[in-house]
């Protein structure tokens, strides 16, 4: 079955059975940032953003993503996406009716803030569970201006990452939050 979807800010059509896990289809398409881990939705290895919310792609049937927006880590790491100031490839981007707005330069800056916070907290990005750590942090920082430790813990308590303990991940997200806040404050002072 043909399933139209906005994948990494590009309109595409998934050729899949509607009940097939999104994880399998993405990997078949050569998107390898999603890894096959627990297949129960807890490890975070197969995490993607579905309309801006982190979800385990092993638990998402392809039929659910019809006419929705799916973002994988490849979106943030693909140099082609960084050609324009907004992070969009404006020459090939087609209009979309997806439920979520397009990614902006701020989204790429937030991604960099997260990587910097993780580095400061000495969190190793092993390559296996990166999507779970990064997209959970992204969602928290995108939706909570100054998250408390308890707010962060609510989101990460069930994330079963194989290389990073919960306290280190908590510290990394809080450091990323501080970096984001300092960057935004600096930018607002420059604009005044």
């Amino acid at each position: 079955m043909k399933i139209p979807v906005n994948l990494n800010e590009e309109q595409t059509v998934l050729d899949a059975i509607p009940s097939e896990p999104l994880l399998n289809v993405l990997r078949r398409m050569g998107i390898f940032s999603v890894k096959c881990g627990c297949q129960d939705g807890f490890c975070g290895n197969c995490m993607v953003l579905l309309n801006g919310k982190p979800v385990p792609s092993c638990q998402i049937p392809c039929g659910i993503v019809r006419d929705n927006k799916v973002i994988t880590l490849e979106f943030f790491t693909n140099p082609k996406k960084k050609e324009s100031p907004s992070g969009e490839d404006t020459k090939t981007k087609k209009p979309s009716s997806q439920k979520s707005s397009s990614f902006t330069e701020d989204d790429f800056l937030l991604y960099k803030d997260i990587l910097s916070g993780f580095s400061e907290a000495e969190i190793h990005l092993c390559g296996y569970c990166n999507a779970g750590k990064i997209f959970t942090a992204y969602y928290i920082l995108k939706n909570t201006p100054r998250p408390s430790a308890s707010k962060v813990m609510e989101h990460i308590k069930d994330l079963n990452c194989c290389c990073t303990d919960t306290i280190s991940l908590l510290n990394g997200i809080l450091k990323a939050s501080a970096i984001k806040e300092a960057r935004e404050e600096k930018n607002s002072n420059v604009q005044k």
Side-chain angles (χ1 to χ4, degrees):
M1 176 174 217
K2 305 292 185 195
I3 302 169
V5 64
N6 181 311
L7 178 60
N8 292 332
E9 290 290 340
E10 293 181 9
Q11 282 301 123
T12 191
V13 176
L14 305 179
D15 188 10
I17 299 166
S19 62
E20 184 177 7
L22 180 60
L23 166 67
N24 297 352
V25 176
L26 292 174
R27 290 192 59 83
R28 200 166 52 235
M29 294 174 68
I31 297 176
F32 298 118
S33 67
V34 292
K35 307 286 193 268
C36 185
C38 69
Q39 295 195 25
D40 290 323
F42 295 111
C43 67
N45 299 344
C46 66
M47 192 83 64
V48 297
L49 291 176
L50 177 58
N51 296 327
K53 184 175 180 183
V55 297
S57 63
C58 68
Q59 297 295 299
I60 303 297
C62 280
I64 288 178
V65 302
R66 174 182 292 282
D67 297 324
N68 286 285
K69 179 181 279 190
V70 175
I71 298 290
T72 68
L73 282 181
E74 279 83 354
F75 178 71
F76 290 102
T77 59
N78 182 350
K80 187 171 91 173
K81 293 291 177 195
K82 298 176 186 172
E83 289 175 1
S84 75
S86 67
E88 297 173 5
D89 182 357
T90 54
K91 291 178 185 169
T92 61
K93 183 157 174 55
K94 297 174 187 172
S96 150
S97 62
Q98 269 56 45
K99 297 173 178 147
S100 178
S101 63
S102 294
F103 277 68
T104 66
E105 185 176 0
D106 274 351
D107 293 294
F108 287 94
L109 293 173
L110 179 55
Y111 174 75
K112 289 180 181 180
D113 296 340
I114 292 165
L115 295 183
S116 296
F118 284 6
S119 178
E120 281 187 22
E122 298 181 359
I123 291 175
H124 175 66
L125 293 174
C126 68
Y128 197 71
C129 53
N130 292 359
K133 291 185 284 199
I134 291 169
F135 283 149
T136 300
Y138 176 89
Y139 181 77
I140 294 166
L141 298 176
K142 185 85 173 165
N143 294 289
T144 311
R146 290 186 180 127
S148 65
S150 62
K151 183 71 171 173
V152 172
M153 195 58 98
E154 283 176 34
H155 289 278
I156 66 172
K157 68 181 181 201
D158 293 326
L159 192 60
N160 190 13
C161 178
C162 58
C163 70
T164 305
D165 64 276
T166 304
I167 298 303
S168 296
L169 184 55
L170 168 70
N171 290 332
I173 293 172
L174 293 175
K175 287 179 184 292
S177 177
I179 291 167
K180 174 186 179 236
E181 188 175 334
R183 174 182 52 81
E184 289 173 344
E185 186 175 313
K186 180 181 174 185
N187 287 345
S188 70
N189 289 337
V190 168
Q191 292 174 358
K192 287 182 182 178

